Amino acid sequence: MLLAVSALRRGSCCAFFARPKNVYYYYCSSSSSSAGSNDIAPEDAEEVRRFQAAFKRSDIPHKTFTTTFHRSGGAGGQNVNKVNTKVYMRFGISAQAWLPDYVRRRLLQLDSKRINSKGEYLLTSEKTRSQKDNIEDCLDRLWASVCRAAELPKEPDPETVMRVEGLKRAERARNRERKQRQSDRKARRRGEDHL
């Protein structure tokens, strides 16, 4: 069911389709040169594709990250009060040359709650009672976040583009008709006032 069609920027349109518990949106016909949140230059897209093809979890330079250990909370008996197994891992996103610019921007956008006031990306884990396992858990979550940030926006299929263009034309026609009715109504009022 179509809910709305709205202009995002000059020359672009977005149609929202709703299904139970899901909202799908399709970006289409962007002729604007200004870069939006999902816009990507062709050379950046090629760089991200190369990054996606070559990026493995083992490529994350976690030795350069700042890692600190603290006492974990929760159950664990007396041992939990003696050892520091909770992991805090942080790194400055802007200083990470191994990430393409587009992926860095998307990480800042998608995981804004993980960014502290210094611009550092923060990961914590107290999933297990082992420092090594908690470090691996942090790296797994970072890898998943980077993979999600490296996803390129999908191009709409031609059928969707044509459907949205038709909806835009229909909306413009309705607006013209509504404005003409309003204009006629005001013209009739002005004619009655002069009599």
Side-chain angles (χ1 to χ4, degrees), residues 39-162:
D39 291 343
I40 182 167
E43 59 273 3
D44 289 342
E46 188 57 39
E47 180 185 11
V48 171
R49 283 190 195 95
R50 283 195 307 270
F51 174 77
Q52 287 174 331
F55 180 62
K56 297 184 287 297
R57 187 187 170 283
S58 59
D59 294 339
I60 298 174
H62 66 278
K63 302 277 189 207
T64 63
F65 300 167
T66 303
T67 306
T68 56
F69 303 100
H70 301 276
R71 293 204 168 96
S72 295
Q78 293 179 356
N79 188 54
V80 78
N81 298 323
K82 297 182 202 173
V83 293
N84 296 328
T85 56
K86 184 175 184 177
V87 174
Y88 282 95
M89 189 178 286
R90 68 185 73 222
F91 62 91
I93 288 186
S94 58
Q96 303 305 314
W98 58 280
L99 289 172
D101 288 337
Y102 175 78
V103 176
R104 277 185 256 169
R105 285 194 310 268
R106 292 275 293 158
L107 273 175
L108 290 170
Q109 182 184 20
L110 294 173
D111 290 341
S112 61
K113 292 183 179 172
R114 291 189 183 276
I115 311 298
N116 66 13
S117 59
K118 296 177 187 174
E120 296 175 324
Y121 192 91
L122 178 65
L123 292 158
T124 62
S125 177
E126 56 181 337
K127 194 174 184 178
T128 68
R129 295 293 177 236
S130 161
Q131 284 183 357
K132 183 176 183 284
D133 292 342
N134 285 339
I135 288 173
E136 293 300 315
D137 181 48
C138 283
L139 292 175
D140 287 340
R141 289 191 290 147
L142 176 60
W143 182 66
S145 294
V146 168
C147 288
R148 190 181 51 175
E151 290 175 1
L152 293 169
K154 293 180 182 173
E155 291 293 322
D157 59 293
E159 180 183 318
T160 302
V161 171
M162 288 182 59

Side-chain angles (χ1 to χ4, degrees), residues 181-195:
R181 277 198 314 264
Q182 184 73 10
S183 175
D184 293 344
R185 188 178 304 138
K186 287 185 175 185
R188 281 195 306 271
R189 283 190 209 139
R190 281 194 298 270
E192 291 172 1
D193 289 344
H194 292 322
L195 293 177

